[in-house]
Amino acid sequence: MAARQQLQTGALLDGFTIGEKIHAGGMASLWRVTKPGIDIPIVMKVPTILDGEDATIIVGFEMETMILPRLSGVHVPKTIAVKSIAEQPYVVMEYVQGTNLLTLLDEAPLEPEHVAQIGAKVAAALVDLHRQNVLHLDIKPSNIMLRDSGEAALIDFGLSRHLLLPDLLEEEFHVPMGTGPYISPEQVLRNRTDPRSDIFSLGVLLYHFATKVRPWGIPKFNRALRARLWRDPVPPRKLNPAIPPCG
């Protein structure tokens, strides 16, 4: 494995000039970058690989680099360049300008009309994604951007599945993969092939925005995750009477 370059502002990497670090998380860091000939805002996503080389991070990064370049359209960031895990791993992609849905959670419960508008935009993004044979499998507020132009764009494909490619996550791990509050029953049962998983997670997200309550809380153990297999959430109108009745 080639030696990895220590990134810092002002450094050059494969023609990209490294700018400021705009995010540092447990799974990856994001850096603003520029390159001659590219006239849209772009970022470099670099997986956080420490001496122990966490297997989940490595496999998730490999999945993202397999899937992102195969996607197109306004509902995903445009991929500019990819470098493999064997060298200096990174993905350079469009910096989606707009509003991250996570920032709206503090305003919940939102007006029902606003929740419906969000749902329609994210549903349109999921339709487009599924038509490209990809399931996101980690739909949650922080993974959705509302572009300044109005469309929803999905980000972070580290847990995703391309139905025409090998599923490295399924091959390597034998536990449910997803984010506890939003994970679907299918994912709890380790079924990573059903597009309804994304629809379920969208429903959880909209419930949360409409009521300010997560329908199954924040489960920390597998037993708590499995509650969604048999227990219905509280009807949202009981938590927020402003929600109109169905039909």
Side-chain angles (χ1 to χ4, degrees), residues 109 112 210-211 235-245:
T211 66
R237 290 193 74 216
K238 286 190 175 182
L239 299 172
N240 181 2
I243 298 173

Side-chain angles (χ1 to χ4, degrees), residues 71-92:
L71 296 176
S72 62
V74 72
H75 299 297
V76 295
K78 180 180 180 180
T79 303
I80 305 298
V82 171
K83 197 72 170 285
S84 79
I85 205 80
E87 303 173 82
Q88 169 71 58
Y90 64 72
V91 179
V92 176

Side-chain angles (χ1 to χ4, degrees), residues 36-62:
I38 299 177
D39 58 1
I40 61 172
I42 55 176
V43 292
M44 178 178 287
K45 182 176 183 178
V46 182
T48 305
I49 301 175
L50 306 175
D51 291 339
E53 296 197 337
D54 185 289
T56 305
I57 294 175
I58 293 173
V59 176
F61 176 78
E62 291 286 357

